[in-house]
Amino acid sequence: MTVLLKNVRPYGEDAVDLLVKDGVVAAIGADLSSTAQTIDATGLIALPGLVDLHTHLREPGREDTETVLTGSRAAALGGYTAVHAMANTDPVADTAGVVEQVWRLGQQAGLVDVVPVGAVTVGLGGTQLAELGAMADSAATVRVFSDDGKCVSDPALMRRALEYVKALDGVVAQHAEEPRLTVGAQMHEGDRSARLGLTGWPAVAEEAIIARDVLLAEHVGARLHVCHVSTAGSVELIRWAKSRGVQVTAEVTPHHLLLTDAQAEGYDATFKVNPPLRTAEDVAALRAGLADGTIDAVATDHAPHAGEDKECEWAAARPGMLGLEQALSVVVDTMVDTGLLTWREVADRMSVRPAEIGRLTHQGRPIAVGEPANLVLLDPTARAVVDPAALASKSRNSPYAGRELPARVVHTLLRGELSVLDGKVQK
């Protein structure tokens, strides 16, 4: 497929024409001409296709809430060209067979690169290491391993996991939560949780695991990735570890950049998430950490749930919220429009660094001649009110329902093919 993008602004800079041919950027310049399909991209900003390190696609096992196909559609509409599919499916992605199944479903969908994450332990049970080597050697070539949703809380087992993945050039993506400190937890621990009568999830439960794990990673000389960082103290710990040369990376979710524990006031379980929404001071620290590079990446933690799992009393609801389709808009709202990130830095945090962490060599590449044409084109001037009924996901648990957000993804290209054209998914 050959496409000519007229007057597009790579990284928000000067407008140029950009010719895409045979899956790569074939030419960049002024007044290019071609007999190919021509798209007027005047006013649109081009970034490398986004890469998500943390997506729950629910297939196999909970196809009533999301499938690889519907999740891929949501991702493409959000400007993503690659997503890492978390392992807490049913059956758990803890064998070569299951990760290859997810990988093949992604290939069939053909809208984004679906990159399976392998479980660290068998059945996410936290007692026995899974088939890490077999998953790495499979067709899915797994390099990110995580028990996300659960913490690898046994320090000896975590050390062994780090030793194994080091040999595979992999990374352990840890859900940092000391389970003995969060028994029955429902929301951030503080004055508000006490007043609302909801059991608190203390910041120290996250920070204690991060402190332990960065020391283990340093001892082993392995890579550690911290999932969905949510507290100011966690940011400080990661900053300290990086200053020591520890191979630690970290991600923050869009919802933790925007929302606070005040959302719990109405007992709307849409806002129940793990780790919980924190305080305004934590949000400020997370934004600062993402701006200065302490936090490497934005990752969605896209977590679809059925209506009956959310439209119930807070204590009975499952934690998690949607994120793929509005992630870029939330980052624009919280980080670009506030002057904390440039467009190039957005590309770094949402494409380049996530691809590097996941060892995806054909994603997160610069917009340059000869590079893979994985691109997102967005209109930075657009604003829209989020309507959950219009989402591509099978589920509707969006924390942004009714909220007006800036920027709109107009086109997405995966290896030169339009997966999204004029805001409409092509499959």
Side-chain angles (χ1 to χ4, degrees), residues 228-316:
H228 39 50
V229 172
S230 70
T231 79
S234 295
V235 177
E236 284 304 311
L237 282 165
I238 293 163
R239 187 174 286 125
W240 170 80
K242 286 190 170 185
S243 73
R244 289 171 62 92
V246 178
Q247 297 179 75
V248 58
T249 55
E251 67 186 37
V252 63
T253 71
H255 49 267
H256 283 109
L257 289 172
L258 179 65
L259 306 174
T260 71
D261 62 340
Q263 301 290 342
E265 291 283 355
Y267 294 98
D268 180 351
T270 302
F271 298 101
K272 182 177 178 180
V273 67
N274 187 12
L277 300 173
R278 302 289 187 182
T279 67
E281 290 74 21
D282 291 309
V283 169
L286 293 169
R287 292 184 184 186
L290 184 64
D292 71 17
T294 300
I295 297 175
D296 303 79
V298 176
T300 68
D301 195 7
H302 176 82
H305 284 300
E308 61 267 28
D309 291 327
K310 279 297 196 180
E311 296 164 6
C312 55
E313 64 178 288
W314 183 285

Side-chain angles (χ1 to χ4, degrees), residues 64-210:
D64 58 318
T65 61
E66 196 75 290
T67 65
V68 171
L69 177 58
T70 60
S72 294
R73 286 174 176 156
L77 287 167
Y80 287 90
T81 53
V83 298
H84 287 76
M86 277 295 171
N88 58 342
T89 50
D90 183 13
V92 171
D94 58 3
T95 66
V98 178
V99 297
E100 286 192 347
Q101 178 188 1
V102 174
W103 176 75
R104 293 189 194 286
L105 288 168
Q107 295 270 304
Q108 292 169 13
L111 289 165
V112 297
D113 288 342
V114 174
V115 185
V117 173
V120 176
T121 66
V122 175
L124 310 178
T127 59
Q128 178 185 351
L129 287 182
E131 301 173 1
L132 307 182
M135 289 189 281
D137 292 339
S138 73
T141 59
V142 174
R143 289 296 179 271
V144 181
F145 298 90
S146 180
D147 277 2
D148 181 58
K150 296 183 178 179
C151 178
V152 182
S153 60
D154 181 334
L157 195 64
M158 184 62 180
R159 173 182 173 170
R160 287 181 57 207
L162 289 165
E163 290 170 341
Y164 270 94
V165 301
K166 178 183 178 183
L168 304 171
D169 191 29
V171 62
V172 175
Q174 176 72 293
H175 173 109
E177 176 186 354
E178 170 49 68
R180 286 159 290 193
L181 292 174
T182 59
V183 175
Q186 297 292 323
M187 66 171 291
H188 171 68
E189 181 180 279
D191 293 342
R192 183 170 276 115
S193 64
R195 179 165 52 78
L196 295 176
L198 296 172
T199 304
W201 199 122
V204 70
E206 177 174 302
E207 295 157 6
I209 292 295
I210 294 174

Side-chain angles (χ1 to χ4, degrees), residues 20 52 55 62 70 75 91 111 153 171 190 234 285 288 328 337 349 380 395:
V20 172
D52 193 16
T55 305
R62 286 304 306 265
T70 60
L111 289 165
S153 60
V171 62
S234 295
L328 184 54
D337 289 352
R349 310 300 196 272
S395 297

